[in-house]
Amino acid sequence: MSEDRVFPPALAEVARVEFEYGEAGEGVDFEPYAAFDSAEETTDWLCHWTGNHELSGDAFRVFGQDGSGGLAAVWCVRPGRPLTEQPVVFMGSEGERGVVAGDLSGFLWVLADGFGPMEAALYPERTARPNADLAELAARHATTPRRPAREIIAEAQAEFATFDEDMDALCR
């Protein structure tokens, strides 16, 4: 397995967490995977998601989904940087999408504040619901200090402000 397909230990630990969505959807709609989807699965998904069957899924490492089939992925857009320094994005089953965090550390703190990938990308202004267990997980693995999810999300969305346009350009 190539080094850029090795599942980071932090995501392996996140995969053991059971996220509660709640009766009224007040929780986190996230089902983390125990490994990245294969390159073939990722390419197949991206081709169908965009309608462009000439694409490769090489820029994405899918590591979880929401209940409707929207996917959380590491977006390999920073050349030469390790997976842990790449942004995390959400791509919904109906074309919704957004940047979740600028790197894996930020993503861990977003989870600790009670936001899943879908909630962070689509509802960043929702009320934070800190989770002590996820905060402990983030403290063990993050290489950045804890910050509020809203701050992490806003910073990442500003840094990757063309994400929507970049994805639109892939669509047919």
Side-chain angles (χ1 to χ4, degrees), residues 10-167:
L11 288 181
E13 194 168 338
V14 168
R16 293 190 291 273
V17 174
E18 187 171 326
F19 291 86
E20 295 292 328
Y21 186 55
E23 297 272 331
E26 70 278 3
V28 173
D29 186 5
F30 182 45
E31 301 166 19
Y33 299 164
F36 289 126
D37 276 353
S38 71
E40 296 79 18
E41 289 171 309
T42 302
T43 293
D44 186 55
W45 156 76
L46 186 63
C47 289
H48 284 89
W49 193 85
T50 61
N52 183 347
H53 295 278
E54 297 174 12
L55 293 176
S56 158
D58 289 348
F60 298 95
R61 303 294 178 272
V62 175
F63 66 88
Q65 68 180 40
D66 71 0
S68 71
L71 299 179
V74 174
W75 182 31
C76 301
V77 70
R78 292 177 169 142
R81 305 267 292 272
L83 285 177
T84 57
E85 294 178 16
Q86 303 291 343
V88 173
V89 298
F90 172 78
M91 298 171 81
S93 61
E94 301 298 321
E96 322 88 331
R97 64 216 171 198
V99 178
V100 174
D103 57 23
L104 183 58
S105 286
F107 177 65
L108 296 174
W109 293 121
V110 166
L111 290 176
D113 231 7
F115 291 77
M118 184 265 298
E119 293 84 12
L122 305 181
Y123 310 107
E125 295 303 317
R126 76 182 234 155
T127 301
R129 292 176 175 84
N131 179 305
D133 292 336
L134 286 168
E136 288 177 25
L137 186 157
R140 285 193 302 277
H141 294 282
T143 57
T144 57
R146 185 173 190 163
R147 295 185 298 146
R150 286 185 185 165
E151 185 179 311
I152 293 166
I153 296 163
E155 181 180 283
Q157 290 178 349
E159 181 178 356
F160 299 99
T162 64
F163 179 66
D164 277 341
E165 291 82 15
D166 295 342
M167 294 304 103

